[in-house]
Amino acid sequence: MTEVLRALGSFFAYAVIAVFAQNAVFTRSLGVSRLVKLSEDDEVGSLVFGALLCAVQIISAMMGFFVNRWLFASAFWIYLRPLVMVLCSAAAFFVVLLVVVICFRVHGAREIVAVLPMATFNTCILGTLLLSTIQNFTFTQTLGFALGSGVGYVMAVALVRGAQERLQSEAVPATFRGLPITLLYIGILALAIYGFTGHMLAF
């Protein structure tokens, strides 16, 4: 029972750290280009995107954990790691695609499947995989960090989307409207989190 509670505590601790103190966007600048695109695209639902991102993140993290343990002894593992992480995310893509098609049928799954590549192939997924394998997290830490990174990324999307109306205000100079003011807004949020966490990254 003590081991189970310790594992749950580790899971939630790493999830909370990944959401706030080590946010993928505001602390590590992972997936910023995709975030800017999502913030301007009203056709992509935040909940659908978030659910798909978290699902892919967790499945690919599990695969990456076991592959890392299996190939760690290889002398060439450090050179193969990025390619293997891409393959893990691609495998997670097909797993989630299969589940979505089975659950929603072909016609109902079209809108979800259209969002799935955006939720899979971005630096948030790959960056989280590389960080968890490089730092040799335990299985529960890997799952917690993956879930927290996904939730943190979705939170960042929601924050930027929520500010779009003000960012497009007439009070903003014409030369700054669009991408420049969005990047400035993300940078200010990143500075706020930097002030909260300090300059030392835990991992």
Side-chain angles (χ1 to χ4, degrees), residues 10-27:
S10 178
F11 173 84
F12 286 111
Y14 273 72
V16 171
I17 287 170
V19 172
F20 299 106
Q22 302 291 332
N23 187 280
V25 175
F26 300 128
T27 305

Side-chain angles (χ1 to χ4, degrees), residues 6-203:
R6 189 176 299 166
L8 285 174
S10 178
F11 173 84
F12 286 111
Y14 273 72
V16 171
I17 287 170
V19 172
F20 299 106
Q22 302 291 332
N23 187 280
V25 175
F26 300 128
T27 305
R28 300 190 179 275
S29 300
L30 296 174
V32 173
S33 59
R34 187 57 52 89
L35 176 126
V36 171
K37 179 176 173 56
L38 283 168
S39 66
E40 297 173 352
D41 190 355
D42 295 329
E43 294 182 4
V44 179
S46 295
L47 289 177
V48 173
F49 175 81
L52 291 173
L53 179 75
C54 290
V56 171
Q57 190 83 276
I58 291 172
I59 293 170
S60 59
M62 287 191 292
M63 291 179 182
F65 174 82
F66 289 112
V67 170
N68 184 50
R69 293 301 171 97
W70 180 43
L71 295 175
F72 185 74
S74 172
F76 300 102
W77 171 230
I78 191 171
Y79 306 108
L80 295 173
R81 182 186 286 153
L83 176 61
V84 171
M85 296 302 107
V86 171
L87 293 175
C88 286
S89 62
F93 169 85
F94 287 109
V95 170
V96 174
L97 177 64
L98 181 63
V99 171
V100 167
V101 170
I102 290 173
C103 292
F104 295 94
R105 307 301 178 195
V106 175
H107 298 291
R110 284 180 180 172
E111 293 182 6
I112 300 174
V113 170
V115 181
L116 185 55
M118 295 178 66
T120 303
F121 302 106
N122 62 66
T123 52
C124 178
I125 299 284
L126 297 176
T128 301
L129 281 172
L130 286 171
L131 283 170
S132 59
T133 54
I134 289 169
Q135 297 297 327
N136 290 319
F137 290 164
T138 64
F139 185 68
T140 53
Q141 290 170 349
T142 299
L143 290 182
F145 190 69
L147 178 62
S149 294
V151 172
Y153 190 86
V154 175
M155 183 186 75
V157 172
L159 284 172
V160 176
R161 269 190 171 178
Q164 280 301 305
E165 185 176 343
R166 290 189 176 186
L167 295 178
Q168 294 169 1
S169 168
E170 294 293 327
V172 177
T175 53
F176 281 96
R177 286 179 200 156
L179 180 61
I181 194 65
T182 303
L183 292 177
L184 280 172
Y185 176 71
I186 293 170
I188 291 169
L189 288 175
L191 284 173
I193 292 176
Y194 176 88
F196 172 70
T197 60
H199 68 283
M200 293 297 291
L201 293 177
F203 42 81

